[in-house]
Amino acid sequence: MKKVEKRTIPVLEMGCAACANYVEVREEIDRKSYKRLLRNTIGAWILAIPLAVFGMIFMYLPYANQIMMILALAIMLLFGRSFYINGIRHALRGNANMDTLVALSTSIAFFFSLFNTFYPQFWTSRGLEPHVYYEASGIIIAFVLLGKLLEERARHSTSSAIKGLMRLQPKTAQKVIDGREEEVFISTLKTGDLISVRPGEKIPVDGTLLKGASSIDESMLSGEAIPVEKTTGDKVFAGTINQKGSFTMQATGVGHSTVLAQIIRMVQDAQGSKAPVQRIADKISRLFVPAVVVIAVVTFLVWLIAGGTSFFSYGLLAAVSVLVIACPCALGLATPTALMVGIGKAAEQHILIKDAYALENLCKIDTIVLDKTGTLTEGVPLVIDSYWLSESKICYLDILYTAELKSEHPQASAIINWMEDSGASVFEPKRFESITGQGVCMEVGDKTYWVGNKKMSDSFCTVIPDKVAKYIAYWEEAGYSIVYYGEESVLLAVLAIADRIRKTSLIAVDNLKKQGIEVHLLTGDTPRSAEIVASVLGIENYKAGVSPNDKDEYIKELQHSGKKVAMVGDGINDSQALARADVSIAMGKGIDIAMDVAMVTLITPDLSLFSKAIRISKQTVRLIRQNLFWAFIFNLIGIPLAAGVLYPINGLLLNPMIAGAAMAFSSVAVVTNSLRLKLLK
């Protein structure tokens, strides 16, 4: 097996626009590499299956050896040549890994079989049967290719996640030159340039609002669904979305100096700094490969020294048996088969695990950091409560419903959904006006009705009764947003809007605590909102008003204190922290970029699935250790037997054919043990 490498892309040098092209090229190279490996794996198995059938059942048919030779040679040269290329490269550098052992064992088995095919009399003249082991060569390559294919899948997350972040920034902007607008590429913009932004457009660069006002969807930075009202002098950021109203801004950060570019760079740095997946078998093979070669050579020499040239054939058989029985089939299968079953079992529980690193490290987590919006809460503004001052509430519902349907504010959708079953109808008012930063008002008959925030209420000099003020104070204390509805100076109703906590969040947090995991809450929302959610869920460690960089730093501090940290999030603002965490988890209904960066995706928005993921990880890692234990125990027992340690005692000499069968048995045992995971609860 080989490492899963994390690639870092030089955003600082290239900037967002040029980097996007680089990522596309890099992604295309990775895609071709994966397709090539997939093609090799499928091709190897297509030939390995008939090769195995001939080797085990039809080995005595006419020309069976020649047919197996052709099949094995095709597998080695067409689909497994990378093992030999890499094995030679490592050997020239004085290193050894699994590729070295695959190349060595399959080559020995093939050339020994080739010799026996064309010169069988060498053995028959000495009273020995000339067996062939072509199937060992082909099947070993097919199995190890399958393991590599499983790990190669983990390489696709990095570039696709970065590419998704790149898409947040538009390619062009409306630059204001001498009072007129001109469309230019954002790569040409400089600090101090004036830029016009229309409703619905993404903001191209960081800047300061000079003229006009609007509400901006900054969920990519804060994670909060409710847009932020912006007026003259306020800062706006690249990649955020202008909801309504046109405005002119002055660029203060362009290229790699924007907040978005910094997020991209930090995501890459975090991914690049993460320890790569390092297979246990790969580590041990550095010593195992040279040891097997030395044992085989020593075996041959001992036989020659002990019995002279008359024992040459026995020494050669023993040396080949050592190399065949030590082939890495069981060793190579030990991890990928358990991982494949574990990942499949997790998928049955609505948990998608992207790579082996995540599955192996989930069970080591002792600290979890949770985002609030969309993770612990539903991430959608809802009307939580309302208070009506007018006794004839019904007659005012049509007006409120019509006003909210015409409004572009995200809170309007919460009110519309709340009124769906109220029986309210829509009509055309005499006049409708949207007032940026306040709300909407419209003329019906000879009266003006309005819906908005406290500023809108104050502009109509509305008197708020003491009883209503108590409700408002209570809602504000609970962290709710307040919407006022009135007829000129008369207040008709007040509504409380908030993001509701998921029903499963309390159970999930409680389960995590029972598993001994320390729970932390990070949110870009207000301190009061964070305090309420933390209090309801029993979370002692929480921090509010944090930026993507703050989340990243928070996780760094936890890691520096020796914690193994998991991060759960669902938004673009979480991507940087997700990449930094030891294990990253995305909620299934979150943003694609969060799911691309994350190692684990919970398909349903139920945080309690994370506890199940940890249990599956523990079961899988236990099986991997069992598989490796038995694979090495097999070699510890099999290699001395193959070398002939029992020959002086009882005349037992392990034939290479028996060694090949024993190798196959060890592989079957490993696969069978891995399949037990399916039966575990």
Side-chain angles (χ1 to χ4, degrees):
M1 300 297 172
K2 68 178 180 181
K3 303 176 184 177
V4 173
E5 299 174 355
K6 298 288 185 180
R7 296 184 175 90
T8 305
I9 300 167
V11 176
L12 275 175
E13 289 76 7
M14 292 190 287
C16 282
C19 186
N21 294 329
Y22 182 90
V23 173
E24 288 178 2
V25 173
R26 185 72 264 172
E27 192 177 49
E28 181 63 23
I29 292 173
D30 286 344
R31 191 183 299 114
K32 288 180 179 179
S33 174
Y34 179 80
K35 286 183 177 179
R36 183 166 55 250
L37 180 56
L38 178 62
R39 186 171 59 249
N40 287 341
T41 304
I42 294 173
W45 275 104
I46 289 174
L47 297 182
I49 291 172
L51 177 59
V53 171
F54 267 97
M56 296 177 185
I57 302 174
F58 303 116
M59 72 282 286
Y60 297 115
L61 286 180
Y63 302 107
N65 287 354
Q66 286 77 3
I67 293 172
M68 288 190 288
M69 178 191 70
I70 294 170
L71 290 172
L73 188 61
I75 293 173
M76 294 168 70
L77 295 182
L78 295 178
F79 308 117
R81 60 180 176 274
S82 62
F83 294 114
Y84 305 100
I85 295 171
N86 294 332
I88 292 171
R89 285 175 179 170
H90 280 90
L92 292 175
R93 292 199 296 263
N95 297 327
N97 68 347
M98 287 293 287
D99 286 352
T100 311
L101 192 51
V102 170
L104 185 63
S105 61
T106 55
S107 297
I108 292 292
F110 180 82
F111 285 112
F112 184 74
S113 301
L114 190 67
F115 178 82
N116 290 354
T117 300
F118 293 102
Y119 299 101
Q121 61 273 18
F122 178 86
W123 302 104
T124 54
S125 63
R126 291 165 173 80
L128 297 172
E129 188 176 351
H131 293 291
V132 296
Y133 311 99
Y134 293 119
E135 74 280 1
S137 300
I139 292 173
I140 288 171
I141 289 174
F143 270 126
V144 180
L145 278 174
L146 178 62
K148 285 179 175 288
L149 181 68
L150 293 175
E151 291 197 16
E152 187 71 15
R153 293 174 60 186
R155 303 171 74 96
H156 295 282
S157 60
T158 304
S159 60
S160 60
I162 302 300
K163 190 175 179 181
L165 286 169
M166 299 296 179
R167 293 194 192 103
L168 295 176
Q169 190 171 40
K171 295 181 179 179
T172 61
Q174 299 295 326
K175 183 178 179 180
V176 179
I177 304 173
D178 297 330
R180 58 183 177 81
E181 295 181 9
E182 181 179 329
E183 188 174 27
V184 299
F185 288 105
I186 61 168
S187 57
T188 64
L189 293 176
K190 299 177 181 178
T191 302
D193 285 347
L194 299 183
I195 302 160
S196 174
V197 182
R198 300 163 183 165
E201 290 184 342
K202 290 181 179 179
I203 296 173
V205 294
D206 291 357
T208 303
L209 201 149
L210 294 181
K211 182 181 178 182
S214 185
S215 59
I216 308 295
D217 179 359
E218 293 187 346
S219 58
M220 61 158 285
L221 298 176
S222 67
E224 301 309 310
I226 299 175
V228 180
E229 303 292 340
K230 299 286 185 177
T231 56
T232 304
D234 289 338
K235 291 184 179 297
V236 291
F237 304 96
T240 57
I241 303 171
N242 180 26
Q243 293 288 300
K244 55 172 184 158
S246 300
F247 60 85
T248 302
M249 58 174 283
Q250 185 175 37
T252 58
V254 298
H256 61 259
S257 63
T258 65
V259 172
L260 176 60
Q262 291 170 18
I263 291 174
I264 295 170
R265 185 182 72 248
M266 290 177 183
V267 167
Q268 292 171 316
D269 290 345
Q271 288 181 323
S273 66
K274 194 182 302 297
V277 176
Q278 178 63 60
R279 301 266 50 84
I280 297 174
D282 239 1
K283 292 179 180 178
I284 297 175
S285 64
R286 294 172 187 171
L287 298 174
F288 184 66
V289 175
V292 169
V293 174
V294 169
I295 291 171
V297 172
V298 169
T299 296
F300 179 70
L301 293 176
V302 168
W303 276 94
L304 281 183
I305 294 170
T309 55
S310 62
F311 273 53
F312 174 84
S313 57
Y314 291 100
L316 184 59
L317 275 176
V320 172
S321 295
V322 167
L323 291 171
V324 170
I325 205 168
C327 80
C329 203
L331 196 60
L333 285 172
T335 299
T337 52
L339 291 174
M340 192 160 46
V341 176
I343 290 171
K345 184 170 183 177
E348 292 174 0
Q349 300 295 322
H350 310 293
I351 303 163
L352 294 183
I353 298 178
K354 191 172 292 184
D355 57 33
Y357 182 93
L359 190 59
E360 289 182 12
N361 285 275
L362 270 169
C363 60
K364 302 176 185 176
I365 294 301
D366 55 27
T367 305
I368 185 169
V369 176
L370 305 172
D371 175 49
K372 180 180 76 70
T373 305
T375 301
L376 294 172
T377 66
E378 295 179 353
V380 179
L382 298 170
V383 176
I384 301 298
D385 202 356
S386 66
Y387 186 90
W388 289 79
L389 287 81
S390 173
E391 294 181 0
S392 55
K393 169 183 172 181
I394 302 296
C395 65
Y396 293 111
L397 289 178
D398 291 350
I399 298 172
L400 176 61
Y401 192 59
T402 300
E404 293 306 300
L405 280 174
K406 290 181 172 293
S407 174
E408 297 175 352
H409 199 282
Q411 289 185 353
S413 61
I415 297 174
I416 292 168
N417 292 335
W418 175 66
M419 296 182 68
E420 274 185 355
D421 299 325
S422 66
S425 58
V426 185
F427 62 92
E428 190 61 36
K430 285 185 179 179
R431 180 180 62 86
F432 177 87
E433 182 182 3
S434 176
I435 303 173
T436 302
Q438 295 187 28
V440 297
C441 61
M442 62 184 194
E443 191 174 333
V444 180
D446 57 350
K447 294 183 178 180
T448 299
Y449 294 85
W450 51 269
V451 185
N453 56 20
K454 189 65 166 60
K455 290 181 181 179
M456 177 69 84
S457 174
D458 291 342
S459 69
F460 281 90
C461 302
T462 306
V463 176
I464 300 176
D466 292 340
K467 187 175 182 180
V468 178
K470 290 180 181 179
Y471 270 92
I472 294 172
Y474 172 77
W475 290 338
E476 288 177 338
E477 178 68 14
Y480 301 160
S481 298
I482 313 299
V483 174
Y484 298 79
Y485 171 38
E487 175 191 323
E488 296 182 344
S489 62
V490 179
L491 185 66
L492 298 176
V494 285
L495 294 86
I497 297 179
D499 186 6
R500 191 164 54 193
I501 296 174
R502 293 187 193 277
K503 294 178 181 179
T504 56
S505 293
L506 182 59
I507 298 172
V509 172
D510 187 52
N511 287 340
L512 290 169
K513 287 182 175 179
K514 288 178 180 177
Q515 289 178 306
I517 297 175
E518 189 177 291
V519 182
H520 294 248
L521 168 64
L522 297 182
T523 177
D525 209 346
T526 62
R528 181 56 187 161
S529 178
E531 182 184 350
I532 291 167
V533 172
S535 175
V536 170
L537 299 178
I539 300 174
E540 298 176 1
N541 306 292
Y542 65 91
K543 189 174 182 181
V546 294
S547 66
N549 190 48
D550 293 334
K551 291 182 179 181
D552 183 48
E553 291 297 326
Y554 191 93
I555 290 176
K556 271 188 188 177
E557 290 176 11
L558 289 173
Q559 290 172 329
H560 288 159
S561 66
K563 304 284 188 182
K564 286 288 184 181
V565 185
M567 168 72 191
V568 184
D570 76 324
I572 298 162
N573 63 302
D574 301 317
S575 58
Q576 186 176 327
L578 288 169
R580 177 67 59 188
D582 295 293
V583 176
S584 48
I585 303 99
M587 304 298 281
K589 292 188 177 180
I591 302 299
D592 288 343
I593 292 165
M595 289 187 281
D596 282 340
V597 174
M599 303 172 188
V600 180
T601 298
L602 307 181
I603 298 175
T604 58
D606 181 0
L607 188 60
S608 61
L609 291 176
F610 183 64
S611 297
K612 291 185 179 181
I614 292 175
R615 288 194 290 272
I616 291 173
S617 171
K618 288 180 178 178
Q619 293 170 347
T620 305
V621 169
R622 190 182 304 119
L623 273 183
I624 290 173
R625 289 171 179 167
Q626 290 173 0
N627 286 347
L628 290 172
F629 171 79
W630 288 114
F632 285 116
I633 286 294
F634 167 79
N635 279 307
L636 287 175
I637 297 173
I639 289 175
L641 289 177
V645 294
L646 295 180
Y647 186 81
I649 301 172
N650 56 14
L652 176 64
L653 180 61
L654 197 62
N655 188 289
M657 186 68 178
I658 299 174
M663 176 271 295
F665 174 77
S666 70
S667 300
V668 171
V670 163
V671 172
T672 304
N673 190 48
S674 297
L675 292 174
R676 285 195 311 111
L677 182 59
K678 286 181 172 289
L679 304 176
L680 298 176
K681 292 185 179 181

